[in-house]
Amino acid sequence: MATPQNTRRGWHVAETQPIAAVPPEPGMDQAAEQATEQTQVIRPVSPGKGKPSLLKASGSMAVATLTSRITGFLWKLMLAGVIGFGIENDSFNVANTLPNMLFELLIGGVLTSVVVPVLVRARKGDSDGGERFVQQLMTLAAVVLAAGTLLAMIAAPLLTVALVSDSDESNRDLVTAFAYLLLPQIFFYGISALVGAILQAKQIFSPPAWAPVVNNLVVIATIGALALMPGEISLNPVSMTDPQVLVLGVGVTLGVVCQALVQLPALRRTGFRMRWRWGWDRRLSEFGGLALWMLGYVAISQIGLVALSRVATANAQGAWSTYSYVWMLLQLPYGVIGFSIMTAILPRMSAAAADGDHQRVIDDLSLGNRLSTVTLLPVSAVMTALGVPLSLALFAVKSDMSGQANTLGLALAVSAFGVLPYALTMMQMRTFNALSDARTPTLIMVVMTAAKVLMAFALPVFLAPDQVVFGLTFVNSFTFIVGWLVGEIWLRNRLGPLGSRRFLKTLAKTLTASVAGGLLCWGSVVGVDALIPGEAGAGTGWLQLLVGTVVGFAAIFGLMSVLRVAELQPAIGRLTGLLRRR
């Protein structure tokens, strides 16, 4: 078998250990997450077989992911500008969370953790290239998705009751009206993910990676149309036939439909022809245990989501929307930087795990953690200092939105510390997956969810209703510290010493530089504010953002160079190298 040094030139999908997906939180670009999760490649094969380098493909996917995150953020930003942060936005966001949750429960987690490796093996081992198996799989998936979507639509009022508290700060009727229009997404999310998995098993990466961008462009056009419509969404009485409700609900669902359809021509070009083929393949049964643990993982994670939703909708209008927007902003650095680092590290780690070489697994885990630290911790520091200016710049598009944008900015500032713990927790989860262990990530999720639920329901006791949103964003980020520490203990029990001394040394140096740079960044924001009289708005926010970003990152990376953080240059080289290989 080739050494890791030799195999870095080209990574390809091949038979291996399955990697489980991590269910998205609200506000995450769900489509982009599916596209990137399913491209985590596992075992290296020798280059020179005429197949495209996955490292090169990963660079292209990083660009696609970045584009998807930006366009996804853009339509969320547009939506806030059109309907604000009140009950209307809360209701839409809660309803739009439902199809994501139910898709993951029905097939999403199992699809990524179980089906992708089976597809690869079927393609290599079956005389027909796995076509019969894929036809069986698509037939089964279509039936499960259609039945699940129908049942979800019938149960829409009950699902609303589960997610939304009955209070003056929420509107269950509007959530239910949106849910009826948005729940059909379940079926098309499933078809999109399955077609993407089939294409990726055939080493065709671009259509699944770029399909979410098509989705986002359709939604952007939808919100543009909504902005041109006279009147507002009616809260009394609520009606699903309200023109604004129809345009928003149908348009967002149409985006997911387009995301699925845009991948079909690429599937046809591979020579695959869809036909109904009934039956169960024994290869799926072989992964039953893994599938059950993955379903448990997904189900448990949704309990935490339900708890946050109920607390948010019970205490303040706009709290759930604010939480969702904050989580989306926190996802941006991880979605681009964390994905790029993980793409580079995971194949080596998984190959080492397949060989039973635990020392190499530990070395790769340590490297991934250190690269994540030197790239994401500075981002956390700058986001903490610039939370309010960033929010004002992006969301104070109207004069009457400054107060809501300020709240969002403060919520971002108190939770930005969670970016790095999130990345470290995900790296640990992938390490367990590489070791063919789906049980431990599920148990870690139990601990994380228990902590999240207990802290979330305790918040109204200690915080005023309009302050609860700050607690929710803090709790979500703190949960990843819990997951990181618990994962560290379990990994030590599984692999032995993890070489933490080197990681802690890098963490200490980077944290020192980040705190100092973050304080200078905050000082520059205060200075700009003092120079410009009047109430801060979008214009002031952009100036503070520009000055603070330059000062903050220059100070942080300058101090890291002075402190001789060894991983700084490799981290920057890794990211720029991936982008150049697009």
Side-chain angles (χ1 to χ4, degrees), residues 25 43 49 162 180 222 257 338 374 384 390 410 521 556 565 579:
E25 296 276 359
R43 188 189 268 293
K49 293 187 178 182
Y180 282 124
T222 297
V257 174
V374 300
T384 300
L390 175 62
L410 290 173
C521 178
I556 291 171
V565 179
L579 294 177

Side-chain angles (χ1 to χ4, degrees), residues 30 54 194 198 274 435:
Q30 164 76 1
L54 187 65
L194 183 56
I198 296 168
M274 180 55 202
L435 295 167

Side-chain angles (χ1 to χ4, degrees), residues 28 97 307 381 384 420 456 463 525 552:
M28 181 186 293
T97 298
T384 300
L420 178 60
L463 298 175
V525 169

Side-chain angles (χ1 to χ4, degrees), residues 90-99 163 174-176 178-179 182-183:
D90 274 355
S91 300
F92 171 80
N93 275 307
V94 171
N96 202 35
T97 298
L98 281 171
L163 279 172
L174 184 57
V175 175
T176 302
F178 274 127
L182 297 172
L183 283 170

Side-chain angles (χ1 to χ4, degrees), residues 22-87:
V22 177
E25 296 276 359
M28 181 186 293
D29 186 338
Q30 164 76 1
E33 190 69 8
Q34 291 169 5
T36 56
E37 286 291 350
Q38 292 171 0
T39 55
Q40 303 303 334
V41 187
I42 322 193
R43 188 189 268 293
V45 297
S46 176
K49 293 187 178 182
K51 298 180 180 179
S53 164
L54 187 65
L55 190 55
K56 183 175 181 179
S58 296
S60 178
M61 288 186 293
V63 175
T65 301
L66 176 60
T67 305
S68 180
R69 301 283 182 181
I70 291 173
T71 52
F73 178 77
L74 178 59
W75 78 253
K76 287 280 189 176
L77 180 62
M78 291 174 62
L79 183 64
V82 173
I83 67 174
F85 285 91
I87 288 179

Side-chain angles (χ1 to χ4, degrees), residues 331-509:
Q331 277 293 311
L332 285 173
Y334 172 78
V336 178
I337 298 173
F339 165 70
S340 298
I341 291 173
M342 206 168 291
T343 298
I345 296 296
L346 275 176
R348 295 166 46 178
M349 180 188 294
S350 299
D355 292 340
D357 190 343
H358 286 181
Q359 186 56 51
R360 277 171 51 206
V361 172
I362 292 170
D363 291 342
D364 287 332
L365 172 63
S366 176
L367 176 60
N369 287 342
R370 285 181 280 117
L371 292 177
S372 297
T373 298
V374 300
T375 52
L376 293 176
L377 196 54
V379 175
S380 289
V382 171
M383 290 182 79
T384 300
L386 296 178
V388 172
L390 175 62
S391 181
L392 287 172
L394 294 175
F395 292 97
V397 293
K398 298 178 182 177
S399 58
D400 61 347
M401 293 181 66
S402 295
Q404 295 167 323
N406 190 71
T407 298
L408 194 155
L410 290 173
L412 178 63
V414 302
S415 60
F417 70 89
V419 174
L420 178 60
Y422 177 73
L424 298 178
T425 301
M426 296 302 100
M427 187 69 73
Q428 290 174 342
M429 296 291 195
R430 301 312 196 277
T431 304
F432 285 115
N433 297 148
L435 295 167
S436 296
D437 181 358
R439 173 178 172 270
T440 303
T442 305
L443 296 178
I444 294 174
M445 181 54 67
V446 170
V447 177
M448 293 172 63
T449 301
K452 179 181 290 187
V453 170
L454 290 174
M455 289 188 290
F457 280 114
L459 290 174
V461 177
F462 301 99
L463 298 175
D466 60 344
Q467 304 293 311
V468 165
V469 65
F470 304 133
L472 290 174
T473 56
F474 177 87
V475 163
N476 187 56
S477 290
F478 185 78
T479 299
F480 294 115
I481 293 182
V482 174
W484 168 33
L485 296 177
V486 172
E488 181 85 4
I489 294 172
W490 253 308
L491 276 174
R492 283 179 176 273
N493 184 61
R494 177 74 178 269
L495 300 176
L498 299 178
S500 299
R501 180 176 299 177
R502 188 175 180 184
F503 165 71
L504 291 175
K505 182 179 178 181
T506 299
L507 177 63
K509 289 182 177 181

Side-chain angles (χ1 to χ4, degrees), residues 28-361:
M28 181 186 293
D29 186 338
Q30 164 76 1
E33 190 69 8
Q34 291 169 5
T36 56
E37 286 291 350
Q38 292 171 0
T39 55
Q40 303 303 334
V41 187
I42 322 193
R43 188 189 268 293
V45 297
S46 176
K49 293 187 178 182
K51 298 180 180 179
S53 164
L54 187 65
L55 190 55
K56 183 175 181 179
S58 296
S60 178
M61 288 186 293
V63 175
T65 301
L66 176 60
T67 305
S68 180
R69 301 283 182 181
I70 291 173
T71 52
F73 178 77
L74 178 59
W75 78 253
K76 287 280 189 176
L77 180 62
M78 291 174 62
L79 183 64
V82 173
I83 67 174
F85 285 91
I87 288 179
E88 297 89 346
N89 204 332
D90 274 355
S91 300
F92 171 80
N93 275 307
V94 171
N96 202 35
T97 298
L98 281 171
N100 296 336
M101 293 174 58
L102 297 174
F103 161 73
E104 289 293 334
L105 285 169
L106 279 173
I107 196 173
V110 175
L111 177 67
T112 304
S113 63
V114 176
V115 173
V116 174
V118 177
L119 284 173
V120 174
R121 290 178 177 175
R123 180 169 177 262
K124 296 182 66 176
D126 293 1
S127 58
D128 63 352
E131 181 164 325
R132 179 185 178 87
F133 170 71
V134 172
Q135 289 170 344
Q136 284 182 313
L137 181 61
M138 291 195 74
T139 300
L140 176 63
V143 171
V144 171
L145 288 166
T149 302
L150 179 61
L151 290 174
M153 294 183 70
I154 294 172
L158 295 178
L159 295 172
T160 297
V161 170
L163 279 172
V164 180
S165 297
D166 185 15
S167 72
D168 294 335
E169 311 302 327
S170 61
N171 190 316
R172 283 179 171 174
D173 290 339
L174 184 57
V175 175
T176 302
F178 274 127
Y180 282 124
L181 298 171
L182 297 172
L183 283 170
Q185 293 177 16
I186 297 170
F187 180 83
F188 294 101
Y189 269 138
I191 297 301
S192 173
L194 183 56
V195 172
I198 296 168
L199 289 172
Q200 289 155 4
K202 296 174 179 289
Q203 300 188 34
I204 299 171
F205 302 104
S206 288
W210 287 97
V213 178
V214 176
N215 179 352
N216 290 334
L217 292 176
V218 172
V219 179
I220 287 171
T222 297
I223 298 174
L226 181 67
L228 298 175
M229 298 178 66
E232 299 177 346
I233 294 175
S234 173
L235 296 177
N236 186 23
V238 170
S239 173
M240 198 172 71
T241 59
D242 181 302
Q244 284 83 5
V245 173
L246 280 174
V247 167
L248 185 56
V250 172
V252 172
T253 297
L254 181 61
V256 182
V257 174
C258 292
Q259 177 183 317
L261 295 180
V262 77
Q263 299 180 70
L264 295 181
L267 184 62
R268 290 186 63 85
R269 285 195 295 272
T270 67
F272 175 79
R273 294 295 179 267
M274 180 55 202
R275 56 171 293 188
W276 292 103
R277 192 180 292 275
W278 305 96
W280 179 264
D281 193 284
R282 60 177 177 77
R283 284 169 290 196
L284 292 176
S285 300
E286 295 172 2
F287 289 86
L290 179 65
L292 288 175
W293 279 113
M294 191 61 223
L295 282 173
Y297 182 105
V298 173
I300 292 164
S301 70
Q302 304 306 333
I303 295 173
L305 182 61
V306 170
L308 294 179
S309 176
R310 291 191 64 86
V311 172
T313 55
N315 285 277
Q317 294 183 21
W320 185 244
S321 296
T322 299
Y323 171 84
S324 299
Y325 282 101
V326 167
W327 179 240
M328 179 175 56
L329 286 168
L330 294 180
Q331 277 293 311
L332 285 173
Y334 172 78
V336 178
I337 298 173
F339 165 70
S340 298
I341 291 173
M342 206 168 291
T343 298
I345 296 296
L346 275 176
R348 295 166 46 178
M349 180 188 294
S350 299
D355 292 340
D357 190 343
H358 286 181
Q359 186 56 51
R360 277 171 51 206
V361 172

